[in-house]
Amino acid sequence: MSGRQRKSQMELAFMAETGSEAPTSDRRVELRMAKQEPESEATTERLMEEICEPENMRRALKRVQGNKGAPGIDGITVEELPKYLRKNWPRHREELLRGNYRPKPARRKEIPKPDGGVRNLSIPCAVDRLIQQAMLQVLQQRWDRTFSEHSYGFRPGRSQHQAVARAQEYIAAGNRIVVDMDLEKFFDRVNHDILMGRIAKREKDKRLLKLIRAFLNAGVVMEDGVVIPTEEGTPQGGPLSPLLSNLMLDDLDRELERRGHCFVRYADDCNVYVRTERAGQRVMESVSEFITKKLKLKVNREKSAVAVPWQRKFLGFSFTSEKAPRRRIAPKARERFKKRVREITQRNRGVSMSQRISELRQYVVGWVGYFGYCETPSVMRELDSWIRRHLRCAQWKAWRTCKARYKALRGLGITDPVDLRKLACCSRGPWPVSTYSILRRAVPNSYFDSLGLPRLADLHRH
């Protein structure tokens, strides 16, 4: 679909108030609401009207379509959403302005976590994602400026790299002990009453409060079709969930600020930096108590620790133990990278070298886009060498027989008969053979370069 067609669909979906049946109905709703308790705070607040503004809805639709994503339980895809809205948006808008919109249950999907276990992802219907996105755009503009400067997760103009850099500054300043706190199943255990109380302190539009509560309580549909009510948690997968999680943990930020701590929080990852282990143990106990009693959440004792920063990871990074610490890739992040590369370069996959490298390129460019923020270039060079060794293994395995290897090596410029016989009939496995200088001459790094495989070290420098 062209950009002009997409824009035309958005215009049709959220037509101006004049000249359509829906706005006439919406206008009657607004007039009725204006007559009800005109002096109350709830009716003087017009947040729902702001959320339903055509321009805000157009931006929300564009964002939802850009994010793509799977359909919810109604099967409507984001590509089909504009067509659906042209027919149904007037009704949904009236429901939103009246305060009786009812979101559908989200579809539950379990996603494996890198460190083991599963993450429960909830996939709302496309129209519910649209409404959440429209709410997010209005509420984030109102709330974000009130959040702590120590909070970096899911906020405009803030990133994981900035959070890692702030942690590095604290360590360089002499805070050589980290209190690494992991909140156990945070997104699944947020107390709805506490969260709604925080929202009610900021917003008075009762329709908005009712709608947010409806999204929280909408429930999830399991793979077997059973609908499970959600009595706690902010389901991951909806656009509004990250903002609500930041609001919930703002109390933690304020408490840590009140105590004068050096800390960094990215979503539910919170690191406090202190000077001594004794201070760290005190902070761990007192802050854990605050989280349990005030926020009704739980600190995962197995994953939390008081330790030196170079023994812990934060957002995939760790630090060196030098006086001026450098950012390095955490060991577990390196292992995940190697696991994925092994899958792509698996010797028995039966795909061409060019296809392998095409997949590798897509993966490593994105990976370096994030982990290229490290300050240990030697690691990138080591990984470059390791990747090319795996590719030589795959190539060697693909030749299979002595005769095929002999012929292939000759075609690649190895002409010495002794070298040819020595390597082609070698009985050793692909991994040790991949280090032989003869094979490296036959399949040099320049060969992989010619197929478009980027070098991590070069991407890191850029």
Side-chain angles (χ1 to χ4, degrees):
M1 184 186 296
S2 69
R4 182 175 296 179
Q5 288 174 320
R6 191 177 293 113
K7 185 175 181 181
S8 175
Q9 286 194 342
M10 292 182 189
E11 293 291 340
L12 288 169
F14 309 112
M15 59 184 68
E17 290 204 357
T18 58
S20 74
E21 293 179 5
T24 304
S25 176
D26 290 339
R27 182 60 180 159
R28 286 198 300 270
V29 175
E30 292 172 15
L31 288 172
R32 281 198 301 271
M33 292 184 63
K35 293 178 183 177
Q36 298 171 5
E37 302 177 353
E39 303 84 11
S40 72
E41 286 182 308
T43 53
T44 55
E45 286 284 347
R46 296 177 56 81
L47 266 182
M48 288 308 303
E49 283 76 11
E50 188 176 346
I51 288 167
C52 293
E53 280 288 328
E55 182 54 38
N56 186 54
M57 295 304 303
R58 287 189 199 101
R59 288 195 296 117
L61 179 58
K62 184 177 181 181
R63 185 62 181 266
V64 168
Q65 288 185 311
N67 289 341
K68 301 184 184 299
I73 61 171
D74 60 1
I76 298 174
T77 66
V78 291
E79 292 79 14
E80 298 166 339
L81 188 54
K83 181 181 178 181
Y84 172 87
L85 292 170
R86 283 200 300 275
K87 181 178 180 181
N88 295 282
W89 174 243
R91 172 171 58 87
H92 289 324
R93 184 174 187 271
E94 184 169 335
E95 290 169 344
L96 289 166
L97 294 177
R98 281 181 171 175
N100 57 14
Y101 179 82
R102 289 290 177 269
K104 292 182 173 67
R107 181 163 62 86
R108 171 62 56 86
K109 185 174 179 62
E110 293 184 345
I111 305 295
K113 288 184 178 180
D115 297 333
V118 295
R119 175 177 288 109
N120 292 322
L121 190 67
S122 299
I123 305 174
C125 296
V127 68
D128 287 340
R129 290 211 294 274
L130 172 71
I131 292 169
Q132 285 196 38
Q133 179 63 37
M135 294 166 68
L136 172 67
Q137 290 167 181
V138 172
L139 295 177
Q140 191 163 54
Q141 189 175 11
R142 294 166 67 93
W143 297 355
D144 189 77
R145 61 180 179 270
T146 70
F147 290 153
S148 168
E149 65 171 308
H150 301 274
S151 166
Y152 289 86
F154 312 115
R155 297 183 60 189
R158 289 179 166 244
S159 69
Q160 292 168 297
H161 288 170
Q162 290 174 337
V164 172
R166 175 60 69 89
Q168 186 179 15
E169 290 172 7
Y170 288 143
I171 299 167
N175 299 284
R176 311 287 280 186
I177 297 293
V178 60
V179 182
D180 184 356
M181 288 183 291
D182 181 272
L183 299 183
E184 188 172 304
K185 296 184 178 179
F186 166 71
F187 287 94
D188 296 332
R189 291 186 172 173
V190 169
N191 184 287
H192 287 178
D193 292 334
I194 293 177
L195 175 59
M196 292 306 302
R198 302 294 186 272
I199 299 171
K201 287 180 180 179
R202 292 170 178 259
E203 308 297 349
K204 303 304 178 184
D205 191 324
K206 292 181 180 179
R207 298 165 299 175
L208 175 74
L209 300 177
K210 186 178 178 182
L211 180 60
I212 293 176
R213 173 73 81 165
F215 273 117
L216 291 174
N217 294 338
V220 293
V221 178
M222 307 301 287
E223 292 183 359
D224 57 6
V226 176
V227 178
I228 298 179
T230 46
E231 298 177 354
E232 61 179 3
T234 57
Q236 289 179 272
L240 198 57
S241 181
L243 179 65
L244 297 181
S245 67
N246 272 334
L247 179 62
M248 186 69 180
L249 291 176
D250 191 54
D251 281 8
L252 173 61
D253 297 339
R254 298 308 175 189
E255 178 65 16
L256 293 173
E257 287 178 345
R258 187 185 67 79
R259 299 183 186 188
H261 289 310
C262 299
F263 73 97
V264 184
R265 183 177 67 77
Y266 191 96
D268 56 335
D269 286 335
C270 184
N271 281 5
V272 183
Y273 294 89
V274 296
R275 292 183 176 272
T276 66
E277 185 174 351
R278 177 181 287 185
Q281 295 294 347
R282 285 199 304 266
V283 169
M284 176 65 81
E285 290 306 314
S286 61
V287 174
S288 296
E289 184 180 7
F290 174 86
I291 290 171
T292 301
K293 290 185 176 180
K294 298 295 184 180
L295 302 182
K296 307 300 181 186
L297 297 169
K298 185 178 179 181
V299 174
N300 188 327
R301 294 287 183 173
E302 292 182 2
K303 294 185 178 180
S304 302
V306 177
V308 290
W310 41 94
Q311 292 178 350
R312 306 296 294 176
K313 64 180 178 66
F314 182 52
L315 303 177
F317 289 91
S318 187
F319 303 93
T320 62
S321 59
E322 301 152 335
K323 186 174 181 180
R326 291 176 295 146
R327 299 181 295 271
R328 64 184 180 92
I329 303 169
K332 285 187 177 180
R334 288 176 62 182
E335 285 307 310
R336 285 197 296 271
F337 173 81
K338 287 186 173 184
K339 180 182 178 182
R340 180 60 183 139
V341 171
R342 287 190 192 100
E343 291 170 355
I344 296 173
T345 60
Q346 191 175 10
R347 303 165 203 167
N348 299 322
R349 284 186 66 204
V351 298
S352 67
M353 184 60 70
S354 59
Q355 184 175 336
R356 277 193 177 91
I357 287 180
S358 177
E359 292 179 36
L360 267 177
R361 177 181 177 81
Q362 184 177 5
Y363 176 65
V364 302
V365 168
W367 188 84
V368 175
Y370 181 75
F371 286 103
Y373 192 58
C374 75
E375 296 174 312
T376 51
S378 61
V379 173
M380 294 296 184
R381 291 192 293 270
E382 290 171 11
L383 290 175
D384 266 330
S385 177
W386 181 85
I387 289 171
R388 282 152 180 78
R389 185 176 177 185
H390 267 274
L391 289 171
R392 289 188 181 98
C393 282
Q395 185 64 78
W396 180 254
K397 185 74 173 178
W399 290 334
R400 296 183 180 277
T401 65
C402 292
K403 185 176 180 180
R405 291 167 185 168
Y406 191 95
K407 183 178 179 180
L409 290 168
R410 283 197 64 180
L412 291 170
I414 306 300
T415 58
D416 188 310
V418 176
D419 286 346
L420 282 169
R421 284 194 299 272
K422 178 181 177 182
L423 187 57
C425 298
C426 180
S427 60
R428 301 192 70 188
W431 187 246
V433 168
S434 64
T435 62
Y436 286 9
S437 60
I438 305 170
L439 183 61
R440 295 180 69 178
R441 290 204 317 271
V443 190
N445 288 345
S446 58
Y447 167 69
F448 302 122
D449 294 341
S450 69
L451 291 178
L453 179 65
R455 300 194 183 201
L456 301 184
D458 292 342
L459 291 174
H460 177 247
R461 282 197 293 270
H462 289 89

